[in-house]
């Protein structure tokens, strides 16, 4: 089975965390042992090798760089131009991974079809009675290790789009999905922890996305911006990494009215694996997965909630290396 992850911050992890994702997981963890510059050093779970072992042959891979105005205490960059340069550095990493055969960029339906056929034609079929499950798993893992992972380029938060001409440049370089907001105030839309609708520039951005046929990712949009964006945009929509407000009452999640609208628009909703989004009552800096009984299985509650609203066809995994 070829699996697809709907949201991975691969280039950000490579550049900002200085992780060589081409190395085995044990090597990355060993090299980070004793480092304290970032929380959870040496506890990562994602490398390209681990993706292949799990037969994740395709992902939505992000660029991300937040602009922060003076007085905004969130981490970020002090001008949109600097943020743009950071996203282009991230793109350069993806391109280097392509050149080395690790990744392949998916830009259109034809490229997607070729990539799916590559994986499906090379992985062995389900086992016969003469082949053990363990032997088949080993064979599939070995074959997957020689295959490039496909990625669809997505931009999380639009702050780095200096003006709309930059959006057209990004599209020409492979950008195929965009979420206008991230955390806090934004140049195009407020996001998680903020309030209000799209800015005037944000309304123009959404219209230009429709012209270029860039997928609208509604993840991180405020409630006001969510409804406003969907009113302006009639193209393809998804929520790459979002859980259910009915289970975890926080603005970061979507309420049932929003989920129903996404279902009506044939959108895919990717379950996010951040612990604070999976269980209610999480207190940052205090709560732990163990203390809240938050396990991988917990995400099934969110998946089941969406399935009860619409069926399994609308649910995906947007694991999210970030939030």
């Amino acid at each position: 089975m070829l699996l697809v992850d709907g949201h991975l911050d691969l280039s950000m992890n490579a550049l900002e965390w200085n992780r060589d994702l081409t190395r085995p997981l044990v090597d990355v963890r060993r090299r980070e042992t004793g480092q304290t510059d970032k929380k959870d050093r040496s506890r990562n779970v994602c490398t390209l090798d681990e993706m292949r072992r799990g037969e994740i042959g395709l992902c939505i891979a992000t660029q991300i760089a937040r602009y922060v105005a003076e007085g905004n205490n969130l981490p970020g960059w002090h001008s949109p131009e600097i943020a743009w340069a950071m996203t282009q550095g991230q793109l350069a990493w993806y391109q280097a991974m392509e050149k080395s055969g690790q990744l392949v960029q998916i830009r259109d339906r034809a490229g997607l079809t070729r990539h799916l056929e590559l994986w499906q034609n090379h992985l062995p079929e389900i086992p016969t009675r003469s082949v053990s499950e363990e032997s088949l798993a080993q064979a599939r893992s070995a074959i997957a290790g020689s295959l490039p992972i496909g990625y669809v380029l997505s931009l999380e938060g639009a702050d780095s789009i200096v003006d709309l001409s930059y959006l057209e440049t990004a599209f020409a370089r492979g950008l195929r999905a965009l979420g206008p907001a991230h955390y806090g105030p934004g140049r195009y839309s407020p996001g998680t922890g903020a309030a209000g609708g799209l800015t005037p520039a944000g309304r123009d951005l959404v219209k230009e996305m429709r012209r270029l046929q860039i997928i609208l990712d509604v993840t991180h949009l405020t409630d006001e911006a969510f409804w406003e964006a969907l009113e302006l945009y009639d193209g393809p929509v998804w929520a790459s990494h979002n859980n259910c407000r009915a289970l975890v009452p926080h603005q970061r999640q979507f309420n049932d009215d929003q989920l129903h609208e996404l279902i009506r628009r044939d959108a895919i909703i990717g379950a996010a694996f951040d612990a604070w989004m999976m269980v209610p009552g999480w207190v940052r800096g205090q709560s732990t997965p163990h203390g809240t009984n938050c396990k991988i299985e917990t995400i099934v509650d969110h998946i089941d909630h969406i399935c009860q609203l619409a069926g399994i066809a609308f649910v995906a995994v947007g694991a999210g290396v970030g939030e």
Side-chain angles (χ1 to χ4, degrees), residues 42-212:
S42 75
R43 298 174 66 183
N44 64 304
V45 297
C46 182
T47 64
L48 300 180
D49 180 56
E50 291 298 303
M51 291 177 68
R52 291 189 181 93
R53 286 185 60 200
E55 296 179 21
I56 301 173
L58 179 66
C59 68
I60 311 302
T62 68
Q63 298 167 287
I64 180 170
R66 181 191 297 112
Y67 160 68
V68 290
E70 193 168 356
N72 184 344
N73 293 324
L74 289 171
W77 308 101
H78 290 184
S79 77
E81 291 82 1
I82 300 173
W84 168 262
M86 293 303 300
T87 67
Q88 299 314 291
Q90 292 165 1
L91 176 60
W93 180 82
Y94 287 123
Q95 292 169 337
M97 292 299 99
E98 288 187 74
K99 191 170 183 178
S100 65
Q102 296 280 349
L103 299 177
V104 60
Q105 189 183 72
I106 308 300
R107 290 173 170 246
D108 51 32
R109 186 180 295 272
L112 177 61
T113 299
R114 286 194 300 272
H115 185 69
L116 294 179
E117 289 176 348
L118 174 68
W119 274 72
Q120 291 165 349
N121 291 341
H122 281 78
L123 292 181
E125 296 296 331
I126 58 176
T128 64
R129 293 181 180 178
S130 61
V131 180
S132 70
E133 291 278 0
E134 182 179 358
S135 296
L136 181 80
Q138 291 174 348
R140 291 173 69 94
S141 179
I143 293 171
S146 66
L147 298 176
I149 296 170
Y151 75 99
V152 178
L153 192 62
S154 178
L155 179 62
E156 185 172 20
D159 284 350
S160 61
I161 302 298
V162 180
D163 58 46
L164 292 186
S165 69
Y166 283 73
L167 184 63
E168 193 152 8
T169 298
F171 179 78
R173 295 175 181 176
L175 184 69
R176 293 297 180 266
L178 189 156
H182 193 224
Y183 275 77
R187 298 179 60 234
Y188 294 96
S189 174
T192 301
L198 298 173
T199 67
R203 296 176 64 87
D204 292 339
L205 175 79
V206 170
K207 294 174 184 177
E208 183 68 359
M209 288 173 59
R210 184 64 184 97
R211 184 185 73 82
L212 293 170

Side-chain angles (χ1 to χ4, degrees), residues 145-290:
S146 66
L147 298 176
I149 296 170
Y151 75 99
V152 178
L153 192 62
S154 178
L155 179 62
E156 185 172 20
D159 284 350
S160 61
I161 302 298
V162 180
D163 58 46
L164 292 186
S165 69
Y166 283 73
L167 184 63
E168 193 152 8
T169 298
F171 179 78
R173 295 175 181 176
L175 184 69
R176 293 297 180 266
L178 189 156
H182 193 224
Y183 275 77
R187 298 179 60 234
Y188 294 96
S189 174
T192 301
L198 298 173
T199 67
R203 296 176 64 87
D204 292 339
L205 175 79
V206 170
K207 294 174 184 177
E208 183 68 359
M209 288 173 59
R210 184 64 184 97
R211 184 185 73 82
L212 293 170
Q213 298 186 335
I214 294 174
I215 298 166
L216 172 64
D217 188 347
V218 295
T219 305
H220 284 292
L221 287 174
T222 62
D223 290 356
E224 300 93 330
F226 174 93
W227 293 108
E228 191 175 2
L230 290 181
E231 181 180 350
L232 292 169
Y233 183 92
D234 64 354
V237 177
W238 65 39
S240 61
H241 56 305
N242 234 102
N243 293 343
C244 305
R245 198 177 299 181
L247 302 181
V248 177
H250 188 282
Q251 177 226 26
R252 173 67 178 81
Q253 322 279 24
F254 284 150
N255 62 41
D256 283 3
D257 287 343
Q258 292 170 305
L259 293 174
H260 276 299
E261 179 62 18
L262 292 174
I263 291 161
R264 188 186 72 80
R265 298 281 291 265
D266 290 330
I268 295 295
I269 303 157
F273 282 69
D274 289 290
W276 77 271
M277 295 175 59
M278 295 168 63
V279 294
W282 185 277
V283 179
R284 287 183 179 271
Q286 299 181 28
S287 298
T288 64
H290 179 76

Side-chain angles (χ1 to χ4, degrees), residues 25-42:
L25 181 65
V26 64
D27 289 355
V28 176
R29 288 184 170 186
R30 175 181 49 77
R31 192 160 186 178
E32 292 188 0
T33 300
Q35 295 182 11
T36 58
D37 60 313
K38 290 182 181 289
K39 187 178 179 180
D40 291 333
R41 278 290 191 188
S42 75

